[in-house]
Amino acid sequence: MSLRHALLGLLAERPSSGYDLMKLFDTTLANVWRATQSQVYGELTRMTDAGLVDVSAEGPRGRKEYTLRPEGRTELQRWLTTPAQPQPLRSEWMLRVFFLGLLPTDQARAQLVRIAEAEAEQITELEGLLASRDWAGDPLSVSGRLVLEYGLRGSAMKREWARWALEQMPGDRQPPAGADAP
Amino acid sequence: MSLRHALLGLLAERPSSGYDLMKLFDTTLANVWRATQSQVYGELTRMTDAGLVDVSAEGPRGRKEYTLRPEGRTELQRWLTTPAQPQPLRSEWMLRVFFLGLLPTDQARAQLVRIAEAEAEQITELEGLLASRDWAGDPLSVSGRLVLEYGLRGSAMKREWARWALEQMPGDRQPPAGADAP
DNA sequence: AGAAACATGTAAGGTGTTACATGATTCG
DNA sequence: CGAATCATGTAACACCTTACATGTTTCT
């Protein structure tokens, strides 16, 4: 049910339309919780039915602005203070790593190299994001900065791990200079 | 479709029944890719229909042993060598962190402390797993070791991050000894 | 004999993805 | 006026969770 809580959290900052919320998912929450357009609109309808939000204003082009109701705020607080139970873990890239042993060594190593490279790119991107704006100020900026830092540390960790993994794999030996290749 | 690939990968090692595969998910893949019983049985039927596996033997209690067919092996190789496209990211705990600014500071700090503590436990558990068996030998042990290492580094990173985050939060100042509380 | 482990399956309901469908308003 | 952006919604299909349902074999 976390899509609902993400929406409640965003609406706690300011009333917004489904379209506004969509853009927030694509930008600020892109590295935390993705949602599609049809999900957002559908969930907003259900949240209205459930009495968590209200349509507080209607604008041009059928725009509907949603506002948090007290019930919604209560639910948000409840969720934020409830300890998260561990979510079902599913990581496709780790699954691939787990089965790396089924590939010829050179192909397996190539996959690890790819992981390290992809993560280096990710670091560049996140560093750009870090430099792109001021992270002091309003509360959501502060916690946004926390999330970004986690992303940076996670990517650095993953890149280092991939390098370490390459060292563990057989076939790492450098052929001595001048050795004849078979 | 990764459940299917997980099953193909496990069957590449040795023919197994649905029940066997379930146990492998609960043990070796517990930190990589979770699956429920009804998912596994259902997917095995669909994989049989798709010609990826065969029921190679039947045993007591209706036991069916599945074996990889050449088509299945091909599909597994294809998947392993195809670069993974980034999966939709959804992290509930990060979502909670993102909205930490909506809580009073002391409650927000309590959440971060909880995260650090939970991760410390996780590290203990993974270290136990690391010590519990020999990780040299067959290919899947070697890559299993890689995955475990990733888990260990990830947990250490997360714990350190939580400590860092606590330092960033307002309200970190220690009241001087003997100071009067309001 | 009873408990634990082995073994498979179905059904209902929730959540998410992709594609389709439609139209209004603003800006150059 | 045409393109981009704003704006909302539906439908089909895939996937996952939880609970229900059933029966056998082995071990103590």
Side-chain angles (χ1 to χ4, degrees), chain A residues 47-132:
Chain A
M47 286 163 75
T48 308
D49 293 346
L52 298 170
V53 297
D54 262 343
V55 176
S56 53
E58 310 213 5
R61 283 164 294 204
R63 181 178 209 271
K64 294 187 207 166
E65 193 170 74
Y66 291 88
T67 303
L68 211 54
R69 299 217 312 143
E71 289 83 345
R73 202 168 286 273
T74 305
E75 170 56 20
L76 178 58
Q77 293 292 316
R78 192 200 57 71
W79 175 72
L80 278 174
T81 49
T82 302
Q85 46 200 7
Q87 30 175 7
L89 180 53
R90 259 172 203 145
S91 164
E92 189 183 336
W93 79 266
M94 274 213 261
L95 192 60
R96 285 170 194 261
V97 168
F98 186 79
F99 290 124
L100 233 41
L102 299 175
L103 285 179
T105 311
D106 59 328
Q107 284 184 39
R109 294 175 58 79
Q111 299 298 318
L112 290 172
V113 169
R114 226 174 284 186
I115 289 172
E117 286 169 354
E119 225 50 36
E121 274 175 48
Q122 174 74 356
I123 290 172
T124 306
E125 193 183 310
L126 292 179
E127 279 171 346
L129 192 58
L130 178 61
S132 72

XYZ file of all heavy atoms in Angstrom, chain A residues 47-132:
680
model
N -8.575 6.920 -2.897
C -8.309 7.654 -1.656
C -9.439 8.637 -1.355
O -9.762 8.887 -0.190
C -6.975 8.382 -1.765
C -5.787 7.444 -1.657
S -4.249 8.180 -2.272
C -3.843 9.298 -0.943
N -10.005 9.194 -2.404
C -11.157 10.078 -2.204
C -12.333 9.278 -1.635
O -12.955 9.682 -0.651
C -11.566 10.729 -3.543
O -10.421 11.329 -4.141
C -12.632 11.792 -3.312
N -12.591 8.131 -2.246
C -13.672 7.268 -1.753
C -13.444 6.871 -0.300
O -14.373 6.741 0.484
C -13.781 6.001 -2.612
C -14.233 6.311 -4.031
O -14.700 7.444 -4.266
O -14.118 5.432 -4.905
N -12.169 6.657 0.045
C -11.845 6.217 1.402
C -11.837 7.388 2.390
O -11.591 7.190 3.579
C -10.480 5.518 1.405
N -12.068 8.603 1.889
C -12.155 9.742 2.798
C -10.809 10.263 3.277
O -10.743 10.972 4.270
N -9.727 9.907 2.574
C -8.407 10.380 2.999
C -8.066 11.738 2.377
O -7.296 12.503 2.950
C -7.326 9.360 2.608
C -7.463 7.978 3.244
C -6.492 6.995 2.599
C -7.216 8.053 4.744
N -8.614 11.982 1.209
C -8.365 13.264 0.525
C -9.683 13.813 -0.029
O -10.686 13.101 -0.107
C -7.362 13.104 -0.644
C -6.003 12.651 -0.141
C -7.896 12.132 -1.681
N -9.639 15.070 -0.384
C -10.775 15.763 -0.975
C -10.374 16.402 -2.289
O -9.227 16.829 -2.418
C -11.191 16.938 -0.076
C -12.342 16.571 0.814
O -13.001 15.565 0.510
O -12.545 17.288 1.805
N -11.311 16.535 -3.200
C -11.082 17.409 -4.345
C -11.424 18.817 -3.874
O -12.585 19.153 -3.671
C -11.967 17.021 -5.547
C -11.771 18.015 -6.687
C -11.649 15.608 -6.005
N -10.387 19.616 -3.693
C -10.593 20.913 -3.056
C -10.812 22.026 -4.071
O -11.278 23.097 -3.722
C -9.393 21.260 -2.180
O -8.201 21.155 -2.934
N -10.435 21.771 -5.330
C -10.636 22.799 -6.348
C -10.607 22.143 -7.716
O -9.990 21.093 -7.896
C -9.552 23.868 -6.250
N -11.308 22.752 -8.649
C -11.238 22.273 -10.020
C -10.767 23.410 -10.905
O -11.163 24.558 -10.728
C -12.599 21.750 -10.481
C -13.195 20.769 -9.484
C -14.025 19.671 -10.105
O -14.088 19.584 -11.353
O -14.610 18.874 -9.335
N -9.882 23.082 -11.820
C -9.289 24.118 -12.656
C -9.587 23.866 -14.115
O -10.459 23.068 -14.447
N -8.859 24.553 -14.990
C -9.040 24.361 -16.427
C -8.659 22.941 -16.847
O -7.910 22.267 -16.137
C -8.074 25.382 -17.033
C -7.112 25.720 -15.957
C -7.813 25.519 -14.666
N -9.166 22.519 -17.974
C -8.881 21.183 -18.537
C -9.242 20.063 -17.583
O -8.575 19.037 -17.529
C -7.393 21.071 -18.886
C -7.013 21.775 -20.147
C -5.528 21.967 -20.261
N -5.023 22.878 -19.248
C -3.893 23.576 -19.368
N -3.168 23.472 -20.443
N -3.500 24.373 -18.422
N -10.255 20.263 -16.783
C -10.686 19.198 -15.874
C -9.749 18.958 -14.711
O -9.856 17.953 -14.013
N -8.827 19.873 -14.490
C -7.880 19.719 -13.386
C -8.597 19.600 -12.045
O -9.487 20.380 -11.730
C -6.947 20.929 -13.369
C -5.894 20.884 -12.286
C -4.993 22.108 -12.400
N -3.663 21.834 -11.923
C -3.288 21.991 -10.649
N -4.145 22.399 -9.761
N -2.049 21.737 -10.293
N -8.183 18.609 -11.273
C -8.725 18.446 -9.921
C -7.589 18.555 -8.928
O -6.610 17.809 -9.011
C -9.339 17.053 -9.755
C -10.554 16.778 -10.595
C -11.141 15.442 -10.180
C -11.903 14.776 -11.293
N -12.182 13.363 -10.976
N -7.746 19.455 -7.990
C -6.713 19.602 -6.986
C -7.130 18.849 -5.729
O -8.224 19.069 -5.207
C -6.500 21.080 -6.668
C -5.241 21.313 -5.874
C -4.939 22.796 -5.791
O -5.625 23.503 -5.040
O -4.023 23.243 -6.502
N -6.253 17.982 -5.275
C -6.559 17.169 -4.102
C -5.903 17.764 -2.862
O -4.774 18.247 -2.909
C -6.050 15.751 -4.295
C -6.803 14.977 -5.352
C -6.431 15.019 -6.689
C -7.911 14.201 -5.000
C -7.122 14.304 -7.658
C -8.610 13.485 -5.961
C -8.213 13.545 -7.288
O -8.906 12.829 -8.229
N -6.623 17.696 -1.770
C -6.121 18.181 -0.486
C -6.240 17.081 0.555
O -7.201 16.312 0.544
C -6.943 19.398 -0.019
O -6.879 20.416 -1.026
C -6.409 19.949 1.289
N -5.268 17.011 1.422
C -5.274 16.032 2.501
C -6.384 16.339 3.492
O -6.527 17.478 3.935
C -3.919 16.097 3.220
C -3.351 14.841 3.855
C -3.288 13.718 2.846
C -1.973 15.132 4.410
N -7.157 15.323 3.866
C -8.132 15.506 4.939
C -7.481 15.063 6.253
O -6.458 14.373 6.232
C -9.384 14.663 4.663
C -10.082 15.059 3.371
C -11.599 14.970 3.481
N -12.052 13.719 4.064
C -13.091 13.612 4.879
N -13.803 14.682 5.206
N -13.447 12.435 5.363
N -8.079 15.424 7.375
C -7.484 15.014 8.663
C -7.266 13.505 8.740
O -6.228 13.043 9.245
C -8.533 15.473 9.686
C -9.244 16.607 9.025
C -9.239 16.317 7.560
N -8.230 12.741 8.213
C -8.083 11.282 8.215
C -6.820 10.862 7.472
O -6.143 9.906 7.860
C -9.288 10.615 7.542
C -10.580 10.679 8.335
C -11.319 12.004 8.154
O -10.702 12.982 7.641
O -12.498 12.078 8.530
N -6.539 11.555 6.374
C -5.349 11.232 5.602
C -4.076 11.560 6.369
O -3.104 10.799 6.348
N -4.109 12.673 7.065
C -2.941 13.067 7.842
C -2.670 12.063 8.964
O -1.530 11.691 9.225
C -3.157 14.474 8.423
C -1.894 15.205 8.780
C -2.177 16.673 9.076
N -2.452 17.446 7.868
C -1.496 18.020 7.128
N -0.217 17.880 7.461
N -1.799 18.710 6.066
N -3.755 11.615 9.584
C -3.623 10.606 10.638
C -2.987 9.330 10.098
O -2.069 8.773 10.700
C -5.019 10.261 11.206
O -5.644 11.461 11.628
C -4.912 9.282 12.351
N -3.503 8.898 8.963
C -2.988 7.672 8.365
C -1.504 7.814 8.020
O -0.702 6.891 8.216
C -3.800 7.325 7.108
C -3.242 6.204 6.255
C -3.026 4.908 7.006
O -3.643 4.721 8.086
O -2.222 4.084 6.526
N -1.143 8.994 7.521
C 0.258 9.245 7.178
C 1.150 9.155 8.415
O 2.209 8.514 8.397
C 0.372 10.629 6.528
C 1.766 11.105 6.126
C 2.411 10.148 5.153
C 1.699 12.512 5.539
N 0.716 9.790 9.490
C 1.484 9.739 10.736
C 1.623 8.300 11.218
O 2.701 7.870 11.632
C 0.775 10.559 11.835
C 0.746 12.050 11.581
C 2.121 12.692 11.653
O 2.891 12.407 12.552
N 2.439 13.552 10.682
N 0.525 7.579 11.168
C 0.541 6.189 11.621
C 1.588 5.390 10.847
O 2.407 4.674 11.409
C -0.847 5.571 11.410
C -1.049 4.225 12.101
C -2.197 3.438 11.478
N -2.038 3.208 10.048
C -1.152 2.372 9.513
N -0.343 1.681 10.286
N -1.067 2.230 8.202
N 1.554 5.585 9.526
C 2.482 4.833 8.671
C 3.933 5.215 8.963
O 4.812 4.344 9.045
C 2.141 5.109 7.203
C 3.091 4.501 6.233
C 3.220 3.167 5.929
C 4.070 5.195 5.438
N 4.207 3.000 4.986
C 4.746 4.216 4.663
C 4.421 6.526 5.288
C 5.759 4.551 3.766
C 5.432 6.860 4.391
C 6.083 5.870 3.654
N 4.164 6.507 9.138
C 5.538 6.971 9.336
C 6.142 6.458 10.643
O 7.355 6.296 10.748
C 5.593 8.505 9.333
C 5.633 9.166 7.960
C 5.534 10.670 8.110
C 6.924 8.801 7.238
N 5.297 6.233 11.635
C 5.827 5.838 12.940
C 5.735 4.336 13.182
O 6.237 3.846 14.183
C 5.080 6.579 14.063
O 3.675 6.461 13.832
C 5.442 8.052 14.066
N 5.080 3.636 12.264
C 5.038 2.180 12.386
C 6.337 1.600 11.851
O 6.745 1.954 10.760
C 3.885 1.603 11.540
O 2.674 2.190 11.971
C 3.821 0.099 11.659
N 6.978 0.727 12.613
C 8.201 0.125 12.080
C 7.904 -0.637 10.800
O 6.943 -1.410 10.739
C 8.668 -0.817 13.187
C 7.593 -0.851 14.203
C 6.664 0.281 13.962
N 8.693 -0.423 9.783
C 8.504 -1.113 8.506
C 8.827 -2.586 8.675
O 9.868 -2.940 9.206
C 9.414 -0.496 7.451
N 7.912 -3.417 8.209
C 8.265 -4.843 8.196
C 9.038 -5.116 6.907
O 8.738 -4.547 5.856
C 7.014 -5.708 8.279
C 5.889 -5.286 7.356
C 4.551 -5.842 7.809
O 4.468 -6.426 8.887
N 3.545 -5.680 6.990
N 10.057 -5.961 7.009
C 10.928 -6.207 5.857
C 10.122 -6.575 4.616
O 9.294 -7.475 4.657
C 11.778 -7.398 6.316
C 11.093 -7.967 7.519
C 10.347 -6.828 8.137
N 10.370 -5.858 3.535
C 9.604 -6.119 2.332
C 10.197 -7.298 1.564
O 11.381 -7.567 1.672
C 9.550 -4.886 1.444
C 10.751 -3.989 1.538
C 10.685 -2.852 0.554
O 9.686 -2.659 -0.109
N 11.764 -2.117 0.455
N 9.350 -7.978 0.813
C 9.828 -9.090 0.006
C 10.949 -8.634 -0.912
O 10.781 -7.706 -1.686
C 8.609 -9.531 -0.795
C 7.583 -8.466 -0.611
C 7.920 -7.764 0.650
N 12.060 -9.275 -0.785
C 13.268 -8.874 -1.503
C 13.294 -9.523 -2.883
O 13.109 -10.720 -3.021
C 14.471 -9.321 -0.684
C 15.845 -8.996 -1.240
C 15.960 -7.526 -1.546
C 16.892 -9.434 -0.252
N 13.524 -8.712 -3.891
C 13.612 -9.228 -5.256
C 14.556 -8.375 -6.056
O 14.226 -7.262 -6.433
C 12.228 -9.179 -5.907
C 11.579 -10.506 -5.909
C 10.178 -10.503 -6.339
N 9.568 -11.692 -5.786
C 8.327 -11.775 -5.364
N 7.551 -10.741 -5.436
N 7.879 -12.902 -4.879
N 15.718 -8.903 -6.309
C 16.711 -8.132 -7.034
C 17.168 -8.918 -8.256
O 17.842 -9.940 -8.140
C 17.882 -7.844 -6.106
O 18.984 -7.432 -6.869
N 16.786 -8.419 -9.411
C 17.105 -9.167 -10.619
C 18.600 -9.231 -10.869
O 19.126 -10.265 -11.242
C 16.397 -8.572 -11.842
C 16.556 -9.489 -13.040
C 15.952 -8.957 -14.328
O 15.031 -8.133 -14.271
O 16.433 -9.399 -15.389
N 19.293 -8.158 -10.637
C 20.722 -8.192 -10.938
C 21.467 -9.122 -9.994
O 22.411 -9.802 -10.400
C 21.331 -6.790 -10.974
C 21.627 -6.193 -9.631
C 20.816 -5.371 -8.912
C 22.828 -6.379 -8.868
N 21.432 -5.048 -7.728
C 22.672 -5.644 -7.679
C 24.008 -7.090 -9.060
C 23.644 -5.609 -6.685
C 24.984 -7.056 -8.069
C 24.793 -6.321 -6.888
N 20.994 -9.224 -8.742
C 21.647 -10.160 -7.824
C 21.367 -11.603 -8.231
O 22.202 -12.485 -8.057
C 21.156 -9.915 -6.405
C 21.942 -8.845 -5.697
S 22.052 -9.198 -3.940
C 20.763 -8.122 -3.347
N 20.180 -11.803 -8.761
C 19.839 -13.137 -9.247
C 20.794 -13.538 -10.378
O 21.295 -14.654 -10.437
C 18.391 -13.134 -9.739
C 17.744 -14.483 -10.033
C 17.723 -15.355 -8.793
C 16.326 -14.288 -10.568
N 21.069 -12.575 -11.249
C 22.011 -12.854 -12.340
C 23.396 -13.153 -11.795
O 24.089 -14.056 -12.275
C 22.100 -11.649 -13.283
C 20.909 -11.495 -14.196
C 20.977 -10.142 -14.897
N 19.716 -9.793 -15.522
C 19.460 -9.960 -16.826
N 20.379 -10.434 -17.620
N 18.279 -9.633 -17.310
N 23.794 -12.396 -10.798
C 25.107 -12.641 -10.192
C 25.149 -14.035 -9.584
O 26.129 -14.752 -9.733
C 25.419 -11.582 -9.117
C 26.633 -11.991 -8.289
C 25.651 -10.224 -9.758
N 24.053 -14.400 -8.938
C 24.012 -15.713 -8.292
C 24.261 -16.833 -9.285
O 24.846 -17.866 -8.954
C 22.657 -15.899 -7.597
C 22.584 -17.169 -6.797
C 23.161 -17.240 -5.538
C 21.955 -18.292 -7.317
C 23.111 -18.412 -4.799
C 21.903 -19.470 -6.583
C 22.481 -19.528 -5.318
N 23.820 -16.635 -10.528
C 23.970 -17.690 -11.530
C 25.153 -17.450 -12.463
O 25.272 -18.100 -13.501
C 22.680 -17.818 -12.338
C 21.552 -18.397 -11.543
C 20.349 -17.720 -11.422
C 21.678 -19.626 -10.906
C 19.296 -18.248 -10.683
C 20.642 -20.158 -10.164
C 19.444 -19.471 -10.050
N 26.019 -16.543 -12.090
C 27.189 -16.240 -12.913
C 28.054 -17.474 -13.166
O 28.695 -17.584 -14.220
C 28.015 -15.162 -12.199
C 28.392 -13.909 -12.968
C 27.258 -13.408 -13.823
C 28.828 -12.835 -11.985
N 28.042 -18.371 -12.211
C 28.835 -19.587 -12.343
C 28.402 -20.473 -13.504
O 29.130 -21.371 -13.914
N 27.229 -20.217 -14.049
C 26.745 -21.018 -15.176
C 27.300 -20.507 -16.511
O 27.088 -21.131 -17.546
C 25.211 -21.001 -15.214
C 24.516 -21.574 -13.975
C 23.007 -21.384 -14.067
C 24.845 -23.056 -13.815
N 27.996 -19.358 -16.462
C 28.575 -18.809 -17.693
C 30.069 -19.144 -17.772
O 30.702 -19.337 -16.737
C 28.417 -17.278 -17.703
C 27.043 -16.686 -17.987
C 27.126 -15.166 -17.931
C 26.531 -17.142 -19.347
N 30.605 -19.168 -18.972
C 32.063 -19.266 -19.110
C 32.710 -18.078 -18.392
O 32.131 -16.985 -18.353
C 32.296 -19.156 -20.618
C 30.983 -19.438 -21.254
C 29.916 -19.118 -20.274
N 33.883 -18.317 -17.840
C 34.502 -17.311 -16.975
C 34.619 -15.937 -17.627
O 34.315 -14.923 -17.000
C 35.910 -17.758 -16.551
O 35.807 -19.115 -16.087
C 36.434 -16.885 -15.435
N 35.013 -15.897 -18.889
C 35.204 -14.593 -19.515
C 33.889 -13.831 -19.635
O 33.837 -12.620 -19.442
C 35.882 -14.733 -20.884
C 35.062 -15.601 -21.831
O 34.384 -16.532 -21.333
O 35.075 -15.345 -23.045
N 32.809 -14.554 -19.917
C 31.503 -13.881 -20.008
C 31.042 -13.402 -18.634
O 30.466 -12.316 -18.501
C 30.454 -14.822 -20.600
C 30.587 -14.999 -22.099
C 29.466 -15.857 -22.682
O 28.315 -15.754 -22.263
N 29.815 -16.706 -23.633
N 31.297 -14.217 -17.620
C 30.914 -13.822 -16.269
C 31.662 -12.546 -15.875
O 31.080 -11.607 -15.311
C 31.218 -14.941 -15.282
N 32.946 -12.517 -16.194
C 33.742 -11.337 -15.866
C 33.223 -10.107 -16.615
O 33.166 -9.002 -16.066
C 35.212 -11.581 -16.190
C 35.839 -12.659 -15.301
C 37.272 -12.979 -15.733
N 38.104 -11.788 -15.711
C 38.635 -11.270 -14.614
N 38.415 -11.842 -13.451
N 39.373 -10.189 -14.684
N 32.814 -10.319 -17.844
C 32.280 -9.201 -18.628
C 31.051 -8.597 -17.949
O 30.859 -7.378 -17.934
C 31.934 -9.665 -20.038
N 30.212 -9.452 -17.364
C 29.028 -8.949 -16.676
C 29.422 -8.069 -15.489
O 28.827 -7.022 -15.251
C 28.154 -10.109 -16.169
C 27.620 -11.046 -17.248
C 26.705 -10.351 -18.234
O 25.871 -9.543 -17.847
N 26.880 -10.639 -19.521
N 30.429 -8.515 -14.758
C 30.859 -7.741 -13.588
C 31.438 -6.393 -14.008
O 31.196 -5.372 -13.358
C 31.885 -8.538 -12.775
C 31.318 -9.757 -12.041
C 32.442 -10.595 -11.440
C 30.343 -9.332 -10.949
N 32.173 -6.415 -15.103
C 32.718 -5.156 -15.618
C 31.580 -4.203 -15.970
O 31.604 -3.017 -15.637
C 33.610 -5.418 -16.849
C 33.951 -4.107 -17.554
C 34.876 -6.161 -16.442
N 30.548 -4.771 -16.616
C 29.402 -3.951 -16.983
C 28.747 -3.329 -15.747
O 28.341 -2.162 -15.764
C 28.375 -4.815 -17.727
C 27.849 -4.162 -18.974
C 26.946 -5.079 -19.773
N 27.709 -6.089 -20.514
C 27.149 -6.934 -21.386
N 25.845 -6.892 -21.605
N 27.882 -7.819 -22.031
N 28.631 -4.113 -14.690
C 28.020 -3.597 -13.459
C 28.828 -2.424 -12.919
O 28.278 -1.376 -12.567
C 27.908 -4.722 -12.398
C 26.837 -5.732 -12.811
C 27.596 -4.140 -11.021
C 26.771 -6.972 -11.932
N 30.142 -2.604 -12.881
C 31.000 -1.535 -12.357
C 30.865 -0.271 -13.209
O 30.769 0.844 -12.678
C 32.455 -2.000 -12.317
N 30.820 -0.451 -14.506
C 30.706 0.708 -15.395
C 29.378 1.431 -15.209
O 29.317 2.656 -15.117
C 30.848 0.268 -16.852
C 32.285 -0.075 -17.239
C 32.377 -0.753 -18.603
O 31.302 -1.060 -19.195
O 33.500 -0.993 -19.060
N 28.302 0.638 -15.162
C 26.974 1.235 -14.994
C 26.918 2.019 -13.693
O 26.321 3.106 -13.622
C 25.898 0.145 -14.998
N 27.556 1.492 -12.667
C 27.486 2.162 -11.373
C 28.308 3.444 -11.369
O 27.930 4.431 -10.736
C 27.940 1.200 -10.276
C 27.050 1.191 -9.068
C 25.573 1.024 -9.402
O 25.219 0.280 -10.354
O 24.737 1.656 -8.711
N 29.395 3.421 -12.110
C 30.190 4.649 -12.228
C 29.358 5.759 -12.875
O 29.377 6.910 -12.428
C 31.443 4.377 -13.053
N 28.590 5.395 -13.894
C 27.691 6.374 -14.522
C 26.664 6.903 -13.533
O 26.381 8.102 -13.479
C 26.922 5.724 -15.682
C 27.659 5.733 -17.001
C 26.878 4.968 -18.056
O 25.655 5.202 -18.194
O 27.493 4.107 -18.715
N 26.113 5.992 -12.775
C 25.098 6.367 -11.799
C 25.653 7.367 -10.792
O 24.989 8.341 -10.417
C 24.603 5.093 -11.081
C 23.635 5.315 -9.935
C 22.242 5.706 -10.417
O 22.002 5.883 -11.608
N 21.332 5.861 -9.481
N 26.895 7.131 -10.390
C 27.527 8.039 -9.439
C 27.635 9.438 -10.045
O 27.308 10.442 -9.400
C 28.917 7.513 -9.032
C 28.745 6.260 -8.152
C 29.709 8.584 -8.277
C 30.046 5.544 -7.861
N 28.076 9.480 -11.288
C 28.170 10.769 -11.975
C 26.828 11.493 -11.971
O 26.730 12.679 -11.673
C 28.624 10.558 -13.427
O 29.840 9.810 -13.421
C 28.835 11.885 -14.129
N 25.787 10.722 -12.272
C 24.462 11.323 -12.331
C 24.030 11.865 -10.972
O 23.531 12.992 -10.872
C 23.461 10.272 -12.824
C 22.124 10.864 -13.222
C 21.141 9.779 -13.628
O 21.520 8.916 -14.457
O 20.005 9.769 -13.108
N 24.236 11.059 -9.943
C 23.805 11.485 -8.615
C 24.627 12.679 -8.121
O 24.103 13.572 -7.452
C 23.907 10.315 -7.621
C 22.922 9.173 -7.850
C 23.128 8.064 -6.823
C 21.472 9.671 -7.797
N 25.904 12.694 -8.491
C 26.720 13.843 -8.096
C 26.228 15.122 -8.777
O 26.240 16.192 -8.181
C 28.200 13.583 -8.413
C 28.862 12.739 -7.343
C 30.268 12.277 -7.717
O 30.623 12.395 -8.913
O 30.984 11.791 -6.825
N 25.778 14.953 -10.014
C 25.192 16.091 -10.705
C 23.959 16.600 -9.978
O 23.772 17.807 -9.784
N 23.139 15.662 -9.540
C 21.925 16.011 -8.801
C 22.273 16.735 -7.496
O 21.647 17.735 -7.121
C 21.144 14.730 -8.504
C 19.720 14.871 -7.994
C 18.872 15.650 -8.974
C 19.106 13.468 -7.773
N 23.303 16.223 -6.845
C 23.736 16.828 -5.580
C 24.178 18.275 -5.785
O 23.866 19.162 -4.993
C 24.888 16.002 -4.992
C 25.512 16.492 -3.682
C 24.475 16.513 -2.571
C 26.684 15.599 -3.285
N 24.892 18.494 -6.889
C 25.409 19.836 -7.155
C 24.335 20.772 -7.688
O 24.481 21.984 -7.637
C 26.563 19.750 -8.160
N 23.222 20.191 -8.173
C 22.259 20.994 -8.923
C 21.398 21.912 -8.081
O 20.759 22.821 -8.603
C 21.340 20.083 -9.731
O 20.443 19.423 -8.859
